[in-house]
Amino acid sequence: MPDSVPDTILFDGVCNLCNGFVQFVIRRDPAGHFRFAALQSDAGRALLLAHGLTPAAVVADPESVLLLSGGQLYSHSAAVLRIAEGLGGVWRVAGLGRVLPAAWRDAAYRFVARHRYRWFGRQESCMLPTPALKTRFL
């Protein structure tokens, strides 16, 4: 993953689980290999449209985390596994999850995504990054 072109994680900005995942990545990515955009933000909507997706369809699908890497958009379990691998260290082991059929991984992903608001709650608005993290958010 080249430092000059950081990967972008698109996430549901009102989802507590998704915001927790973003905080998890930030704590484990001090070099700033990843940047972030809420699906509800102007930047997030523009990235989705640039890849042929409508924001309403993505949030309803249900999608909660997408990864834009090397000009390609990854979704569902593929996005989560690639993000974990990108964190390096022990998190690369998550890549072993690829041995499971994608249909199984994605079914589990969709199950959690469908229930995320009920299980983890939601916020009224997207989180605001701290001044120190503002440059990593689009």
Side-chain angles (χ1 to χ4, degrees):
M1 169 175 9
D3 290 343
S4 61
V5 182
D7 290 348
T8 302
I9 297 172
L10 294 109
F11 66 100
D12 181 349
V14 298
C15 168
N16 287 337
L17 175 63
C18 305
N19 282 303
F21 181 71
V22 167
Q23 294 303 317
F24 173 89
V25 172
I26 288 170
R27 284 191 304 273
R28 287 154 184 84
D29 181 31
H33 295 294
F34 293 103
R35 60 185 180 175
F36 308 91
L39 292 168
Q40 296 86 348
S41 70
D42 290 339
R45 285 192 298 270
L47 287 169
L48 290 172
L49 290 170
H51 288 85
L53 299 171
T54 60
V58 168
V59 173
D61 185 26
E63 295 289 348
S64 52
V65 176
L66 298 165
L67 175 66
L68 179 58
S69 178
Q72 186 169 350
L73 193 63
Y74 298 92
S75 65
H76 301 88
S77 63
V80 174
L81 292 174
R82 284 183 172 274
I83 292 166
E85 290 170 347
L87 293 175
V90 69
W91 301 108
R92 284 185 175 272
V93 174
L96 295 176
R98 290 182 200 272
V99 301
L100 296 173
W104 293 1
R105 295 189 327 250
D106 289 346
Y109 177 95
R110 283 187 176 104
F111 180 78
V112 172
R114 265 194 313 275
H115 296 92
R116 68 187 186 268
Y117 293 145
R118 187 171 352 133
W119 294 343
F120 300 98
R122 66 184 294 164
Q123 301 173 23
E124 291 297 316
S125 62
C126 296
M127 69 176 228
L128 294 174
T130 64
L133 292 175
K134 199 168 192 125
T135 60
R136 294 186 63 189
F137 284 78
L138 304 178

